[in-house]
Amino acid sequence: MDDKQIISLLGGPSKVSDLLGYPKKTGPQRVWNWTVRGIPAQVKLDYFELFKQKNRINDRYGEEMEDAHDDN
């Protein structure tokens, strides 16, 4: 799962910005930039629990998606 998908699963740039406590005026744009550039490693470390939670979703549903593709 790439960073753009993680941001989407978390509710989009505005929601992620709120979760991280960024200012409402500049935070969503900052987070949107990560959909192109990637989430900075330090942010992933500082908010490990938030991003780890989405990795669990990927582990759970990613396997189902792979199984569905194997049938084709």
Side-chain angles (χ1 to χ4, degrees):
M1 173 177 296
D2 65 15
D3 290 345
K4 185 175 185 174
Q5 292 170 321
I6 291 171
I7 291 168
S8 179
L9 283 173
L10 284 167
S14 293
K15 179 66 175 179
V16 173
S17 175
D18 288 344
L19 291 170
L20 299 177
Y22 292 158
K24 294 209 181 284
K25 187 171 185 173
T26 58
Q29 179 64 45
R30 181 179 184 179
V31 174
W32 183 88
N33 288 338
W34 299 345
T35 65
V36 177
R37 300 178 187 153
I39 301 168
Q42 189 62 51
V43 173
K44 286 183 177 180
L45 289 173
D46 290 345
Y47 298 94
F48 178 75
E49 289 299 317
L50 176 67
F51 295 109
K52 180 179 81 168
Q53 179 183 35
K54 290 303 155 191
N55 286 335
R56 285 190 203 141
I57 290 172
N58 185 47
D59 290 345
R60 182 174 183 183
Y61 295 107
E63 291 172 8
E64 292 176 15
M65 299 279 286
E66 287 175 15
D67 290 344
H69 289 296
D70 289 343
D71 292 341
N72 292 331

